[in-house]
Amino acid sequence: MTILVAAQQTETTDTLPSRLARLAYRGGEVGSTAGVAPGFVQGNLAILPEEYASAFHRFCQLNPKPCPIIGMSDVGSPYIPSLGADLDIRSDVPRYRVWRDGEVVEEPTDITKHWRDDLVTFVLGCSFSFEEALLDEGMPIRHIEHNVRVPMYRTNIACGASGPFAGPMVVSMRPFKPADAIRAVQITSRYPAVHGAPVHLGHPHLIGIKDIAKPDYGDPVPVAEDEIPVFWACGVTPQSVINAAKLPFAITHSPGLMLVTDLKNKNMAVI
């Protein structure tokens, strides 16, 4: 992503890398956002008609691990100034998913033609934020090493229900050696606004994952014999729930292709 390389070389303001990332995506550039604009918070999207917004807000309150809200728009507004002064929800994500009756019908790079005056945008914290803290500790992040999307899986962990919103939690997975897994728990516990500590370590079948080599979203990554898979609650959970609820209309991001905000990862830590 040439524009992001330029951003890192010529940064003159605190938010230049994040703003240039959004401009790149606004211009049609597509790709995983893992490792993009280091230091800046990325977010998952759930865009819903106003009639469902209250129930979804309650769903997020009941399920703060997979659905930590970091931003929310006014009804009909494609802007969330608290996340970025120039941020436009309609164009600043690399790829979106348009849902009708619980099924993905289109994956555009711009949703301007789908925008409606009754839509409310929820931006949920993303695990890419705590990945920076892991990398700072010298811990390997396999999907970044392989330049692929983080693997994500639907589980048998039931979310708390609110109105039409109910269904299984989605988790993201990163493999670590046991000692590193313990350290990963300690580090990510400091970031509750971006999923916090893992929800499960090892034994994927205990949370309903039949084949770790076949993620439901993202890309598979190798797990070495001396490693264990570590699972974090994931902001793709609303997509599983939207599918289960058969909502007549919704828009989300494409998994692994996030909204880059002007918030700083370092400000997400609680201690």
Side-chain angles (χ1 to χ4, degrees), residues 55-56 59-60 62-63 154 157-169 237-247:
F56 185 75
F59 177 81
C60 293
L62 292 171
N63 302 280
R154 287 191 296 271
I157 303 171
C159 292
S162 174
F165 301 104
M169 181 187 296
T237 296
Q239 300 194 29
S240 174
V241 171
I242 287 169
N243 172 257
K246 306 299 181 187
L247 288 193

Side-chain angles (χ1 to χ4, degrees), residues 4-33:
L4 298 185
V5 173
Q8 293 166 2
Q9 293 175 341
T10 63
E11 181 178 357
T12 58
T13 68
D14 282 348
T15 60
L16 186 58
S18 54
R19 289 191 291 113
L20 287 183
R22 292 196 297 274
L23 285 174
Y25 301 135
R26 195 179 300 175
E29 199 158 329
V30 178
S32 170
T33 55

Side-chain angles (χ1 to χ4, degrees), residues 39 41 129-130 132-133 186-196 263-271:
V41 173
S129 290
F130 68 60
E132 179 179 280
Q186 296 171 330
I187 292 169
T188 58
S189 294
R190 300 174 55 224
Y191 294 86
V194 288
H195 305 307
L263 302 180
K264 295 292 185 68
N265 288 329
K266 63 183 180 182
N267 295 331
M268 295 291 105
V270 295
I271 55 174

Side-chain angles (χ1 to χ4, degrees), residues 55-127:
F56 185 75
H57 190 271
R58 174 65 174 158
F59 177 81
C60 293
Q61 291 177 320
L62 292 171
N63 302 280
K65 291 282 281 187
C67 300
I69 297 174
I70 61 172
M72 184 176 172
S73 76
D74 292 332
V75 179
S77 175
Y79 310 111
I80 307 178
S82 63
L83 301 183
D86 68 327
L87 186 153
D88 190 328
I89 291 296
R90 299 169 296 186
S91 59
D92 292 0
V93 172
R95 190 174 296 282
Y96 302 82
R97 284 181 156 187
V98 178
W99 299 74
R100 295 190 186 278
D101 300 319
E103 301 295 334
V104 177
V105 296
E106 188 178 346
E107 295 196 64
T109 57
D110 186 293
I111 56 169
T112 301
K113 71 176 184 180
H114 296 286
W115 195 257
R116 301 177 356 187
D117 291 338
D118 67 334
L119 295 180
V120 178
T121 299
F122 295 85
V123 182
L124 310 176
C126 170
S127 58

Side-chain angles (χ1 to χ4, degrees), residues 230-253:
V230 183
F231 299 93
W232 279 265
C234 179
V236 172
T237 296
Q239 300 194 29
S240 174
V241 171
I242 287 169
N243 172 257
K246 306 299 181 187
L247 288 193
F249 180 75
I251 300 173
T252 67
H253 66 294

